[in-house]
Structures are given as C-alpha cells and as structure tokens.
Amino acid sequence: MCGICGEATFLGQPASVEAVAKMSGCMVPRGPDGEGIVARGRVAFGHRRLKIIDLSEKSEQPMVDPMLGLTVAFNGCIYNHKELRAELEAKGHRFFSDGDTEVIVKGWKEWGTELPKKMFGMFAIAIHERETGRVILMRDRLGIKPLYLSEGAGRVRFSSSLPSLLAAGGVDTSIDPVGLNAYMSFHSVVPAPRTILSGVRKLPPATLRIYEPDGRTKDEIYWSVSYERSAADIAKTFEDWRGEVHDSLRTAVKRRMIADVPVGVLLSGGVDSSVVVALLAELGHDHIETFSIGFEAKGGEEGDEFKYSDIIANKFGTKHHKITIEESRMLDALPGAIQAMSEPMVSHDCVAFYLLSEEVRKYVTVVQSGQGADEIFAGYHWYPKVAESNDPVAAYAKAFFDRDNATLNSQISADYKGADSARAFVEEHFALPGADDAVDKALRLDSTVMLVDDPVKRVDNMTMAHSLEARVPFLDHELVELAARIPGVHKLADGGKGVLKDLARQIVPKEIVDRPKGYFPVPGLKYLEGKTLEMVRDALGSQAARERGLFRAEYLDTLFEDPAAHITPLRGSELWQCALLEVWLQTHGV
C-alpha cells in the first residue's frame, strides 16, 4: 500500500518535477517509509512507500528496469505475485527484488495489456515505456485502490489522492453540477469518472488507459461481472452454493494474509468480519489481533456493538482491543478525518474508521475488513423491495437516495439546479446487459459503483491516513463472480445474505447471525447537538460558504431549527451532509 502520482506532457515541454514533488508531499501518511521521484523528459513519476512486502530497498519505487525500458509506480498488493513470478522466471525473466512491484514490470513486458487479467489483488499502476513514450494507467477490478486525474494544458497528472492534485495547482475547482447532484442524491456516491470538482476525474475500476505521446488515449475495460447463469448453476442446491462460497471465501482470506508485516482484523461483531476471523482460525492462524470501536450513546441509540465482538474474540481466542471514543475526542478528530477524505463522504462512520485506524496502527500494519459482503451477497434492506417492485429503479431510489430531484432543486441555489442526472445514471446502469433480474441489476450497481465510491473509498482513505493497509476479502474477484451466479432466491433467503448467513452458522456462534443487522454507529453525527452542532453552524455560516452559495438560506434555516427532524432514508443527517461538503471544500482550499 502506497501513494503514487505523476505527470505526462504532450506538447514537448518537460514534466514538472516540482508539481510531482508537491503531490508526493501531500501523501506522506500513505507512504511514510520512503519517497522517490523519477523524471525523464516529458514523464515524471512519484511514489510514497509503505513497506508491506519485501521490506528491503530493492523494492523501492518508482521502479526502473533499464534493460526493459520500463518505469513503474504502483499502489496496492498483488496477492498472487509469487505464482506470477514463477511463471515469468520459466519464460526467462530474472528478478533483482522479492516484491510484487517487479512482477508488474516483468509482467507488462511479457503480457502487455493481458497483465491486469492475470493479477489477483488491489492496485493502481502507472507504467512508462521508454521506447514508445506511452504512459499506461490501470486500476483494479473493484476499484479498491483510487486513481485521480487532472487533464489540461497539454498534460495529464494522476495521483492516489485528489487533494494532492489540488496541491500541484492548475486544477479547475468549480463545482461539477453532475457531481453535486450525485453527492446530494446518491448518498454522496459520485460515480467515476466524475468527482465533485469539474477539473478532477477518476479512472473507472477495471480500466486500462493508454496515453500516447501526443495525448491521444485508448481505454480498455478488462473485466466485468456477469449475473447470467448456466443450467448447471440453476440446478445447484442451496447447500452446493454454501460449500462453494465457503471454499472461495477461505481462499480469499488466505490470499490476504500475504505480508512481511503483522496482519489483524477489524472486528465489528457483525456476520461479515466474524466470518473472516473464523476462516483465519480454520487456516491455523492463532491469537489474531482484532479491533473494535465504540462511541457514546445519543438519542437513545447505542454507540457500540462490543457485546457481539466480545463473543467472537472469546470464541476464537483473539488478542482483542476495544476502543471507546468520547464525543470530545470524536469532535477533535473530525478535521483530521475530513482532511483525509479524497472526496466528501457523508457516512458517519468515516470518523470511526479514522480513529479506529489510528489505534490499530499501533499494533499492526495490515488489516482485513468485512466490507463488501452486503453488496455481494444481498444484505441490504432495499433488495427485497427492488425484487417485489414493478418499477425496480423507483424502488431502489426510494430506499437509497437521500432526496428526489425536485426536492434537491428546492434546496440548492439556482446556479446549481439541474436535471436528475443521478437517477438517470441508475436507470442506464440497470438497463445494461448481463443482468436480467431486478435484484441482480441492483447488486451489480452496488458492487461496481456504490461500493467503490462509498464504503471501499471510505476505508482506504481513513486507514491510509494512519499508514494502515486495509484488505477486503469479500471483494476477491473470483468470489464476486461466484456470488453473482448464485440465484437471487438464495441470496435473499433469511432476510438477505442467505447463503453467507447459512455458512456463518456453521463456523461462528449463532447469536452473531440471528440478531438485528448492525452498522458502525456514530450517534453524535446523526443527532447533532452541542459542540458538533456549533461546528456545523460555523461552517455553513462562514463567509466562504455564503460566497459559494450552494444551499438556499431558507433550507438551512429549516435544518437548524430542528436537526434531528431531517434524517435521510439511510439514517443520515441532512444538516451534516450539507456541512460536510462545505467543510471539505474549505479544508482543501476550494
């Protein structure tokens, strides 16, 4: 896990090493163990290193192979790098390091654009070919690793972090109306390639982009998940699917233990993270470091789920750490959490992950996390509603969207009013081939779009703020492909996640499975009061906010009159949503 950045120019001018240095300097937390910049004419790459695999300097980056004429900057982890190395050695390649970065170098020379299809892992990669002058960017299948872009003035810049692009300058920081519509409607999910800023884009997941020396580009989507089922798939029993999921998930968890540093687990006490701990125990990993976090109760709502995480910790004999956060500490941490956001993310648990990561990093460098299970195995409450509806898009939007477009246009200023682009995006995505069933359409949208630009991005940003690498076994692409083939009736069984829950009952205490669905509770950001409310009032009443004029004054007045009365369908605070956007913009100098 690291941070990468770079610049390529197309009009004959040299790349700006100064700009790359500024970008790299913004990403010290992503890579505190080393820094490197390699510049050659019109191309310059930068890298911040967090040592996980091959702790020697042989794997420093950007990695240059003068014999092959390749320079690589890489963020992530290739879990099958040893197998690929053996394959490449059999073809005559010789290695000078023991890490996964050099496998990418040799792999690109040997396989070219087929390389990402052969890699199991999470990655954002930049490659410069000396002979052709081309620059290649690629991102992993599920978008676990971020890659932001700023194009213009005869150049392109890229980075693992949006704020680092801003630090380099030359970015159009006006608000993207489509991005704003998505942020306010689609629960802060702004689908790639857009962001909230007009001058910043992001490379979509599963995409390989080639920049020619003259600036022409070509994109290849190298992977997609299909929800089509064979006759053999349809004939399988519920028990058959449970067994296949067990095997596949065990493999996914095993892959993510590859590291030359300690690995722990973020244990919420829910089904997903508990299953990860149980599978590690099956694999023979004893005394795993596990971590849970809790907050003060507010509004009659509990702020922790320690009673459940304790059950798992006791069952499997983990070295368990429970971290309780007082509201004063949460408030103190908010600026740091917002600073760490590459994009504004309204979910309350951002600060929870931020504070949890701070504590976890004292013990381990890598953690496994349960993100993705709900989107892969149909755990959310809206999937049955979508299945039962004659208008699946409307059912999805009613359950997930924070507001409809008419309401939004009555809340934002006239300059930002527009068409219902977020709803149109969902309609277009549902209409894509490869998923005929309404639930499959919703799962595909959630696993390849919503998951990428909300839960996964949230975990990456908050863990990397403290130099902690998070790995997500539920997003192993082979497991995702397997889950997609499971008939919806099996996934929706047992109130959702039927197959996964049935597996869980085989390997974890039943009281973990047979309980109301939990989430990462942070009541203090849902029920705004006291110092938190004061901070929100200051942000939205500031001169910068008034000059920007995103929201109508009457709307904000209504929110401040009774913050607790304005809660979105996904249990978020409308007032916090508005304030978070404004604070994020101000924090990053926009």
Side-chain angles (χ1 to χ4, degrees), residues 476-498:
D476 185 281
H477 75 274
E478 289 189 331
L479 178 64
V480 171
E481 291 168 350
L482 171 66
R485 296 183 359 248
I486 300 174
V489 64
H490 297 324
K491 283 183 280 199
L492 293 178
D494 201 3
K497 283 199 297 197

Side-chain angles (χ1 to χ4, degrees), residues 156-306:
V156 61
R157 290 175 181 160
F158 65 87
S159 178
S160 300
S161 159
L162 187 155
S164 74
L165 290 173
L166 299 181
V171 176
D172 177 1
T173 58
S174 63
I175 301 297
D176 184 320
V178 175
L180 178 64
N181 183 279
Y183 173 83
M184 294 296 293
S185 302
F186 202 5
H187 199 58
S188 84
V189 174
V190 181
R194 293 183 183 269
T195 71
I196 196 71
L197 302 181
S198 299
V200 181
R201 294 293 181 255
K202 49 201 174 195
L203 190 70
T207 299
L208 183 149
R209 176 171 296 171
I210 297 175
Y211 285 90
E212 298 291 346
D214 61 3
R216 289 178 294 121
T217 63
K218 179 182 179 181
D219 282 8
E220 176 185 334
I221 299 173
Y222 64 84
W223 179 86
S224 62
V225 58
S226 173
Y227 288 78
E228 296 174 339
R229 299 176 180 93
S230 67
D233 289 334
I234 295 171
K236 288 178 182 176
T237 66
F238 186 91
E239 290 72 24
D240 291 335
W241 288 114
R242 183 187 67 206
E244 291 191 31
V245 168
H246 193 166
D247 291 341
S248 183
L249 187 52
R250 186 193 298 111
T251 298
V253 168
K254 181 179 180 180
R255 283 174 178 152
R256 283 152 185 81
M257 290 301 288
I258 296 173
D260 295 327
V261 294
V263 180
V265 178
L266 301 182
L267 177 60
S268 68
V271 170
D272 313 328
S273 59
S274 298
V275 165
V276 171
V277 172
L279 291 174
L280 286 172
E282 280 189 9
L283 292 164
H285 294 280
D286 299 325
H287 309 299
I288 305 161
E289 301 267 8
T290 55
F291 306 87
S292 301
I293 193 170
F295 292 84
E296 293 180 15
K298 286 278 184 181
E301 186 171 330
E302 289 296 321
D304 69 66
E305 295 194 324
F306 289 155

Side-chain angles (χ1 to χ4, degrees), residues 340-361:
M341 295 179 185
S342 272
E343 299 175 69
M345 292 177 277
V346 73
S347 295
H348 300 153
D349 61 8
C350 279
V351 70
F353 275 112
Y354 180 83
L355 288 165
L356 178 59
S357 299
E358 182 179 34
E359 294 298 320
V360 171
R361 187 61 176 86

Side-chain angles (χ1 to χ4, degrees), residues 374-375 379-388 392 395-400 439 442-443 446 450 492 570:
D374 287 309
E375 294 86 352
Y380 290 125
H381 67 274
W382 52 83
Y383 297 125
K385 296 176 182 177
V386 168
E388 297 163 0
Y396 180 91
K398 182 178 180 181
F400 193 91
V439 171
L443 286 167
D446 285 351
M450 183 273 279
L492 293 178
L570 291 180

Side-chain angles (χ1 to χ4, degrees), residues 249 272 276 369-373 376-377 472-476 479-480 500:
L249 187 52
D272 313 328
V276 171
S369 175
Q371 263 66 38
I376 303 304
F377 288 104
V472 278
F474 284 100
L475 295 189
D476 185 281
L479 178 64
V480 171
L500 185 62

